[in-house]
Amino acid sequence: MLILGGLTPEKGLWVLQEMAKDAKRRSLPIHFVVIGHTSKPVPQYPALPIFVRGSFNDVNLADLIALERADCALFPTQIPESFSYTLSRALIAKLPIVASRLGAFIERLALVENAQLVDWDAVAEVWNAAILNATQPAIVLQPDAENNATTDAAHYARQYLSPNTKDVPIALNQVSATLAPRFLYTKKT
């Protein structure tokens, strides 16, 4: 999850910290990256799944967003905002958005298909559920009955490997794969 801009208690610093505690406690696949500064110190990785990248130059923000390869942008603000420049940048990057149901977020995200609004005073579990919902893959893969993998290995080999591996034999019965959002892990059996 990507949080853009300076993070203060009013912008959701303590909400983020509680979300990270919940994510760690429940072993959720959520990591929080702050592109910006925090007004107060927060525990970072490995204590909590939070990474603070520090202040940025507006000219480089689009590149920094792209480099993080985030699944979602998070705006846990605790006070109404009148516009939110960083929301504009997240929308330009076409990231799914999870934001507080406050101020400009309500109006600006009303017609945005991949946006979810959360009550500003919701507990961390509700915020994290919204993130997980926003980042679910659009394609639901059927389990492979033979090895209980969550992807069709033969389809993967046909679509992605075969054009690049014409001279390399592939023994699909020796490899199982599990697809997590944005990542493919393989394990020899």
Side-chain angles (χ1 to χ4, degrees), residues 48-110:
L48 289 178
I50 298 175
F51 302 86
V52 179
R53 301 292 191 229
S55 298
F56 59 89
N57 182 329
D58 286 346
V59 173
N60 300 331
L61 185 54
D63 292 335
L64 294 172
I65 292 170
L67 285 171
E68 290 298 339
R69 300 185 66 200
D71 294 314
C72 182
L74 174 66
F75 296 90
T77 187
Q78 298 296 285
I79 58 171
E81 294 196 32
S82 60
F83 181 72
S84 182
Y85 166 77
T86 53
L87 175 61
S88 299
R89 300 306 292 260
L91 290 168
I92 290 168
K94 299 190 184 320
L95 289 171
I97 308 287
V98 173
S100 296
R101 187 178 282 113
L102 278 175
F105 293 116
I106 297 169
E107 183 178 333
R108 294 192 63 206
L109 296 174

Side-chain angles (χ1 to χ4, degrees), residues 11-39:
K11 294 278 191 167
L13 179 64
W14 305 135
V15 174
L16 170 67
Q17 185 171 320
E18 290 305 310
M19 291 171 70
K21 286 178 184 178
D22 175 59
K24 183 172 184 172
R25 181 176 57 253
R26 295 193 292 149
S27 300
L28 299 176
I30 302 174
H31 292 67
F32 302 92
V33 177
V34 179
I35 295 182
H37 67 279
T38 59
S39 63

Side-chain angles (χ1 to χ4, degrees), residues 154-168 170:
H155 171 76
Y156 178 79
R158 281 191 310 274
Q159 291 297 113
Y160 301 102
L161 297 179
S162 61
N164 299 316
T165 59
K166 292 180 182 172
D167 299 325
V168 179
I170 298 172

Side-chain angles (χ1 to χ4, degrees), residues 167-186:
D167 299 325
V168 179
I170 298 172
L172 292 177
N173 61 346
Q174 295 177 1
V175 177
S176 65
T178 303
L179 184 66
R182 293 219 170 204
F183 300 100
L184 182 68
Y185 301 93
T186 60

